[in-house]
């Protein structure tokens, strides 16, 4: 049958309408339909309404009444429409979206780990406890500190915990200093963690090369007045640059009675090459999901272990797992502890994955991880710097940060448009507009797990997109074009998020 162009267009629009329609599960099904078959009651029936009294639900829960295939298809479809590290290149700077090795998953799913109840008595959980003790010791060694608590569930919670330990330390010594100095390139969680701990976050500018200069810190301390509680330094920083003045910065803080917090979110760039503890950092967090290939998960389950110097050891969170003689025990009797920051031991499955990864690679392998991460980022910079200016020409480590300054002046196309167009080419966009110190930042982190071919294909795409920006800027400004949904109203999504389904139509 011959179809004219108009018919073909209409058909494809109609097909598109049907194909892209995916109402929430609550809007599917029909009253009385069920996906479960429940066995016949073999105990006396109880009137729950009278048993529960005022606790009884007055109106039905409003659960979807759907068949099993409807549920399966709905959620599998949604999962397939997601972007994932297992399907595409994901160069999200700062987030370190590297491949999650499948052997980690195998280890985490071993029956003895996956099905162990957190209340299992110590003597029946020796293997799991031993793994935690071993992992903590390895993590302490990697950063040159004395101990590690594995409990925090994310990098941000690790920061919060480390600062809680600092506060408890000061309190124990009869002090309550308030000022914590934080460079302007820091991740937003740094000042937030300070504020939640009752510290005053004092921002100060990083230097013209993108790294902190000791004189600026001294000026900031003098201008702030008051007692110094500490310094929060991310190293390598969020621009992917190594903070080479760390020994001096730590000295300046220690001389004033403060402690140095190291944001170790970017440790993946310096494994086996630099140890924060050796240059004066007192307490820091890891992000296992960035450095040691555990999955990110939307807002969790992450893991943000905190490493610390001995002076902070009494204040670490509960419970503490340790070896006593030949056995592993869980110690709850620690009067100076800041208390539990997460239920039970933290995200144990992440610990198994990180331990597996570390043991698989060994010391040489971990050093190679960082070397490759740095090489790949520098390769991206070398391939793109003549097309898009770098934010700083300072030699970089694991990520390359570009600015849209030149391309915007030439074409009016901005970082966001480039990022959206990259989706049409099959890539997850890099991080945009972070760090805030860079105008129109585009932060690319290829990670060590990508091949030269993948990185080349990505760079070729980005260069092609910059060509499109010159010839047809509208193409970028209205991108993405090849996705299920086009450009979304991000401002509205941020300001008026609709996070929960309700029968009322949205405004
Ligand atoms: C420098 C830095 N600090 C802290 C965090 C917070 O870590 P999380 O997302 O695990 O809470 C991140 C996250 O990417 C980060 O890049």
């Amino acid at each position: 049958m011959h179809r004219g162009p108009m018919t073909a267009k209409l058909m494809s629009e109609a097909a598109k309408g049907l194909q892209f329609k995916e109402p929430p599960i609550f809007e599917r099904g029909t009253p009385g339909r069920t996906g479960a078959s429940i066995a016949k009651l073999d105990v006396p029936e109880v009137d729950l309404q009278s048993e529960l009294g005022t606790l009884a639900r007055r109106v039905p829960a409003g659960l979807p009444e759907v068949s099993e295939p409807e549920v399966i298809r709905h959620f599998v479809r949604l999962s397939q429409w997601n972007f994932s590290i297992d399907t595409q290149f994901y160069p999200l700077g700062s987030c370190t979206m590297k491949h999650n090795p499948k052997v980690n998953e195998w280890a985490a799913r071993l029956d003895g780990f996956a099905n162990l109840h957190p209340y299992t008595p110590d003597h029946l959980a020796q293997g799991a406890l031993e793994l935690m003790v071993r992992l903590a010791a390895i993590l302490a060694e990697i950063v040159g500190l004395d101990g590690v608590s594995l409990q925090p569930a994310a990098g941000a919670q690790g920061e919060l915990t480390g600062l809680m330990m600092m506060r408890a330390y000061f309190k124990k010594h009869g002090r309550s200093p308030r000022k914590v100095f934080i460079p302007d390139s820091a991740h937003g969680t740094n000042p937030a963690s300070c504020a939640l701990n009752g510290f005053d976050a004092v921002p100060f500018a990083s230097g013209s090369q993108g790294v902190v200069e000791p004189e600026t810190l001294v000026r900031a301390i003098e201008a702030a007045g008051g007692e110094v509680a500490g310094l929060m330094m991310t190293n390598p920083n969020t621009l992917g640059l190594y903070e080479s003045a760390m020994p001096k910065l730590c000295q300046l803080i220690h001389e004033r009675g403060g402690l140095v917090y190291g944001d170790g979110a970017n440790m993946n760039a310096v494994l086996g090459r630099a140890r924060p503890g050796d240059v004066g950092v007192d307490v820091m967090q890891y992000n296992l999901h960035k450095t040691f290939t555990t999955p990110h998960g939307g807002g969790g389950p992450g893991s943000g272990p905190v490493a610390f110097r001995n002076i902070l050891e009494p204040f670490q969170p509960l419970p503490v797992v340790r070896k006593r003689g030949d056995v592993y025990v869980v110690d709850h009797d620690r009067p100076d502890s800041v208390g539990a920051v997460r239920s039970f031991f933290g995200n144990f499955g992440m610990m198994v994955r990180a331990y597996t990864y570390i043991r698989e690679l060994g010391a040489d392998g971990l050093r190679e991880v960082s070397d490759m991460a740095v090489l790949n980022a520098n390769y991206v910079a070398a391939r793109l710097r003549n097309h898009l200016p770098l934010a700083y020409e300072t030699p970089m480590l694991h990520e390359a940060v570009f600015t849209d300054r030149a391309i915007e002046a030439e074409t009016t196309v901005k970082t966001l448009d480039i990022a959206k167009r990259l989706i049409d080419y099959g890539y997850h966009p890099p991080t945009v507009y972070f760090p805030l110190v860079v105008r129109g930042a585009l932060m690319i982190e290829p990670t060590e797990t990508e091949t030269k071919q993948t990185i080349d294909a990505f760079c070729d795409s980005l260069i092609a997109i910059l060509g499109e920006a010159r010839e047809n800027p509208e193409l970028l400004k209205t991108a993405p074009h090849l996705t299920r949904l086009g450009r979304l109203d991000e401002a509205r999504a941020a300001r008026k998020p609709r996070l929960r389904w309700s029968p009322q139509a949205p405004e």
Side-chain angles (χ1 to χ4, degrees):
M1 187 178 71
H2 174 76
R3 288 196 192 115
M6 196 54 180
T7 327
K9 187 165 183 289
L10 285 176
M11 291 222 20
S12 72
E13 284 305 311
K16 207 171 159 184
L18 279 180
Q19 192 197 357
F20 289 2
K21 207 164 148 48
E22 188 66 31
I25 195 79
F26 293 95
E27 289 171 18
R28 292 164 182 274
T30 193
R33 184 178 293 164
T34 174
S37 43
I38 299 174
K40 260 176 104 181
L41 200 63
D42 59 357
V43 289
E45 198 167 332
V46 174
D47 177 9
L48 271 182
Q49 203 74 29
S50 58
E51 284 287 318
L52 294 174
T54 54
L55 294 178
R57 187 183 274 286
R58 275 184 284 275
V59 284
L63 298 176
E65 296 182 80
V66 282
S67 70
E68 184 169 322
E70 275 178 298
V71 179
I72 301 287
R73 286 180 192 150
H74 173 65
F75 286 109
V76 171
R77 265 199 305 269
L78 290 183
S79 74
Q80 288 173 338
W81 298 343
N82 257 339
F83 222 96
S84 93
I85 189 69
D86 282 351
T87 52
Q88 278 117 322
F89 181 42
Y90 211 131
L92 194 60
S94 185
C95 293
T96 318
M97 304 298 292
K98 53 169 117 170
H99 172 64
N100 305 146
K102 299 307 160 206
V103 67
N104 297 354
E105 300 305 313
W106 164 82
R109 287 189 184 126
L110 286 174
D111 230 24
F113 289 140
N115 292 327
L116 196 64
H117 194 280
Y119 280 136
T120 306
D122 296 356
H123 70 281
L124 296 177
Q126 286 293 294
L129 298 180
E130 179 174 353
L131 183 140
M132 286 190 264
V133 169
R134 283 180 179 223
L135 177 62
I138 294 171
L139 293 179
E141 187 183 333
I142 290 174
V143 291
L145 287 167
D146 303 314
V148 164
S149 166
L150 299 172
Q151 223 195 26
Q157 206 194 11
E159 290 171 32
L160 183 74
T161 307
L163 288 163
M164 283 164 81
M165 291 167 65
M166 280 170 56
R167 198 178 53 167
Y169 165 87
F170 291 131
K171 194 167 168 218
K172 185 83 183 168
H173 290 81
R175 298 175 50 206
S176 50
R178 295 283 294 268
K179 310 283 175 206
V180 175
F181 295 83
I182 306 180
D184 55 6
S185 57
H187 197 257
T189 48
N190 287 192
S193 301
C194 279
L196 283 172
N197 266 295
F199 288 122
D200 298 334
V202 185
F204 67 100
S206 23
S208 57
Q209 301 304 305
V211 293
V212 169
E213 292 161 359
E215 314 78 64
T216 324
L217 175 61
V218 173
R219 278 199 297 277
I221 293 173
E222 285 165 2
E227 234 194 308
V228 173
L231 170 70
M232 273 187 109
M233 287 293 296
T234 307
N235 196 22
N237 67 22
T238 60
L239 293 157
L241 309 177
Y242 191 77
E243 294 282 0
S244 45
M246 275 308 280
K248 181 68 187 167
L249 300 173
C250 295
Q251 185 198 335
L252 288 170
I253 294 297
H254 289 151
E255 282 170 357
R256 289 162 174 80
L259 294 172
V260 178
Y261 184 92
D263 182 330
N266 296 333
M267 272 304 295
N268 64 311
V270 293
L271 294 172
R273 295 284 173 197
R275 302 199 311 167
D278 293 345
V279 293
V281 167
D282 299 297
V283 52
M284 61 171 284
Q285 103 280 357
Y286 275 102
N287 293 31
L288 291 191
H289 44 291
K290 290 174 53 152
T291 302
F292 296 116
T293 66
T294 68
H296 279 238
S303 184
V306 181
F308 45 80
R309 242 180 243 299
N310 267 337
I311 50 165
L312 293 168
E313 195 275 342
F315 311 103
Q316 66 172 304
L318 289 173
V320 175
V321 183
R322 56 193 181 84
K323 194 169 184 188
R324 191 192 290 144
D326 284 342
V327 292
Y328 295 90
V329 292
V330 183
D331 187 358
H332 292 271
D333 184 21
R334 303 183 60 90
D336 289 330
S337 164
V338 297
V341 296
R342 174 69 167 75
S343 52
F344 303 113
F345 300 91
N347 278 326
F348 178 67
M350 297 300 138
M351 299 170 204
V352 180
R353 288 174 175 90
Y355 183 75
T356 308
Y357 179 70
I358 292 171
R359 291 306 304 266
E360 185 193 0
L361 294 188
D364 291 343
L366 288 181
R367 195 176 308 117
E368 211 179 311
V369 160
S370 288
D371 291 357
M372 285 305 294
V374 172
L375 179 64
N376 282 353
N378 278 273
Y379 183 64
V380 168
R383 283 228 42 204
L384 295 177
R385 70 188 336 145
N386 292 334
H387 302 272
L388 204 57
L390 284 164
Y392 294 93
E393 284 294 334
T394 313
M396 76 207 59
L397 294 184
H398 62 298
E399 52 202 2
V401 185
F402 300 88
T403 164
D404 66 3
R405 211 180 316 119
I407 193 78
E408 193 189 351
E410 189 189 338
T411 67
T412 72
V413 157
K414 296 182 180 23
T415 285
L416 186 69
D417 307 316
I418 298 170
K420 295 291 181 193
R421 184 67 177 142
L422 270 168
I423 301 174
D424 284 337
Y425 280 74
Y427 299 106
H428 192 285
T431 294
V432 293
Y433 302 107
F434 178 78
L436 302 177
V437 288
V438 175
R439 186 199 143 135
L442 191 80
M443 186 196 236
I444 302 173
E445 180 172 8
T447 81
E448 75 282 359
T449 55
E450 299 302 330
T451 63
K452 179 171 179 297
Q453 286 75 17
T454 302
I455 298 175
D456 273 334
F458 172 79
C459 292
D460 291 343
S461 302
L462 195 56
I463 293 167
I465 290 171
L466 294 170
E468 290 173 348
R470 293 187 180 93
E471 281 160 25
N472 182 5
E474 231 14 63
L475 186 65
L476 275 71
K477 290 182 181 187
T478 49
H481 303 280
L482 304 176
T483 46
R484 288 181 176 273
L485 300 173
R487 178 93 51 122
L488 302 176
D489 183 347
E490 295 189 4
R492 184 153 165 252
R495 293 206 178 110
K496 292 188 175 172
R498 196 171 168 233
L499 304 175
R500 177 175 166 271
W501 181 86
S502 71
Q504 285 85 38
E507 289 168 42

